[in-house]
Amino acid sequence: MTTPGQRELQDTIWNGAIPLEIRLSPAECRVYDQADSYYIQYPRLSYLPFLLPRLRAFFASSLINPELPAHEGWFSFENVPLKWHYPLGLLYDLFAGASPSQAPGSAARQKEEEEASSSSNGQDTTSLPWQLNLHFTEWPDEQLVRLDADGKVMHDAFINSVKEADFLRNGTAKGIMSLSKDDSTQLWTAVEDHNLAAFTPVSQKLLYAQGAPLRHIPLKIYLPSSPTASEPTSGHLRVVQSLITPAIAAGSREPQTLGTALHALLPALFPSRRTPILAKPVLHGGVVPMAAPVEELLKSAAYLDGWLHLGLVMMG
């Protein structure tokens, strides 16, 4: 079903990780800002709430209120609450301010690091690790849905996203709805454990359900946007999605490329179908070629929920 090239790309994406430095919010710390930071190399595809139990244990002795449960934890970056249902890699690409060539895991980044290493006498010239703040109080209800102690809220949000992607691909959600209980459990456990060997068999059943051709591509595009009355803080995003077909037109053999899709959805930002002029599309920390067929992108580079989550970096 997948080519060797696709498998190699999938492995590379699966192994992508971002070094994090997680700090307890000074307002909740017994010693203000003197608590030790928590460092971890965390998978790009995974979700921050999976870290909450171990973070709660790590910071327990520093919390002003040590009775606070792990599921009340939430993360922020530069005072912007981070949406817990976004994968870490997407959050980093959207909020960390790194240009695509600086994004962890990209070939350009590796080249820059090698050049920097040879010219900086071993001094760190990068902005990593990514520094996040951890909070256990003052949950931002207007921006984040509250989690629960059993993890059901997070599980349901993920499964609902998988269902939506399944419906767009096949015109029905029978793929995910017809999974056996064992397969459904295996899928979620593989996401929690970041286990590729367990994840792949179930995801392949969904992507190639009944051997039917793809009807639409599950694609979300994230644009930086001005603050609004409901979200007055910085870091506001506009999410764009529409029905994107694998081919340019019905009955056509010409594949839909990322460039043709972006031109159709956002012609003001992408006046050219072939060349990025005003903005660059970023996926998993790297700039995506405009000529890339969207169907091949989906098969090789979808996130765990079956979506292509595409960030935009403005040029100039």
Side-chain angles (χ1 to χ4, degrees):
M1 293 185 188
T2 57
T3 67
Q6 287 174 336
R7 283 194 294 271
E8 182 179 359
L9 181 56
Q10 289 167 352
D11 289 345
T12 300
I13 291 171
W14 189 274
N15 292 325
I18 297 172
L20 301 178
E21 178 186 356
I22 301 174
R23 301 172 174 176
L24 181 63
S25 170
E28 301 173 42
C29 182
R30 292 177 183 270
V31 290
Y32 191 59
D33 61 352
Q34 299 303 308
D36 291 338
S37 297
Y38 185 92
Y39 294 90
I40 188 172
Q41 187 92 348
Y42 201 62
R44 270 184 156 269
L45 294 177
S46 197
Y47 299 87
L48 285 171
F50 292 145
L51 285 172
L52 287 174
R54 70 179 85 172
L55 289 172
R56 169 65 181 77
F58 179 83
F59 289 114
S61 62
S62 300
L63 283 167
I64 293 176
N65 182 359
E67 304 301 321
L68 291 169
H71 71 271
E72 291 190 10
W74 57 281
F75 300 85
S76 69
F77 172 68
E78 295 183 348
N79 299 317
V80 177
L82 298 179
K83 296 185 183 298
W84 52 258
H85 60 289
Y86 285 9
L88 173 66
L90 176 62
L91 289 171
Y92 182 86
D93 293 343
L94 295 176
F95 292 112
S99 68
S101 64
Q102 294 174 324
S106 68
R109 171 58 178 270
Q110 293 172 4
K111 182 178 180 181
E112 286 180 3
E113 289 178 344
E114 291 172 0
E115 294 173 349
S117 176
S118 63
S119 61
S120 63
N121 297 321
Q123 294 181 350
D124 182 18
T125 59
T126 73
S127 59
L128 294 173
W130 191 25
Q131 296 177 350
L132 304 180
N133 280 336
L134 173 66
H135 312 257
F136 287 97
T137 61
E138 299 183 357
W139 185 280
D141 287 295
E142 293 185 359
Q143 290 141 299
L144 301 180
V145 175
R146 284 184 177 267
L147 299 169
D148 65 310
D150 298 326
K152 190 174 187 303
V153 172
M154 189 175 175
H155 168 271
D156 290 351
F158 176 80
I159 294 300
N160 286 338
S161 187
V162 173
K163 287 179 181 177
E164 188 179 359
D166 193 30
F167 184 84
L168 285 172
R169 286 193 305 266
N170 304 304
T172 175
K174 287 183 179 179
I176 180 68
M177 299 299 290
S178 62
L179 284 181
S180 67
K181 183 179 179 180
D182 287 345
D183 279 345
S184 297
T185 300
Q186 179 176 325
L187 177 67
W188 179 240
T189 302
V191 172
E192 288 183 299
D193 297 341
H194 196 63
N195 185 334
L196 178 60
F199 179 81
T200 299
V202 184
S203 67
Q204 293 293 300
K205 289 181 181 180
L206 296 176
L207 185 58
Y208 299 97
Q210 303 171 345
L214 292 177
R215 296 185 60 175
H216 297 99
I217 305 297
L219 171 66
K220 290 184 180 180
I221 304 168
Y222 299 80
L223 291 79
S225 183
S226 301
T228 63
S230 60
E231 290 196 52
T233 61
S234 60
H236 179 67
L237 295 168
R238 174 188 168 206
V239 182
V240 176
Q241 66 181 91
S242 186
L243 296 178
I244 302 296
T245 55
I248 291 291
S252 170
R253 300 185 63 180
E254 184 179 356
Q256 182 94 255
T257 67
L258 184 60
T260 57
L262 290 173
H263 176 74
L265 288 175
L266 301 166
L269 276 180
F270 293 94
S272 170
R273 297 171 176 83
R274 296 178 177 84
T275 306
I277 297 173
L278 302 175
K280 294 180 180 179
V282 178
L283 184 65
H284 302 299
V287 176
V288 187
M290 298 281 276
V294 290
E295 182 172 353
E296 296 305 313
L297 278 178
L298 180 67
K299 292 177 180 179
S300 303
Y303 277 86
L304 302 185
D305 60 359
W307 286 85
L308 289 172
H309 295 290
L310 194 73
L312 297 184
V313 174
M314 304 308 296
M315 300 170 62

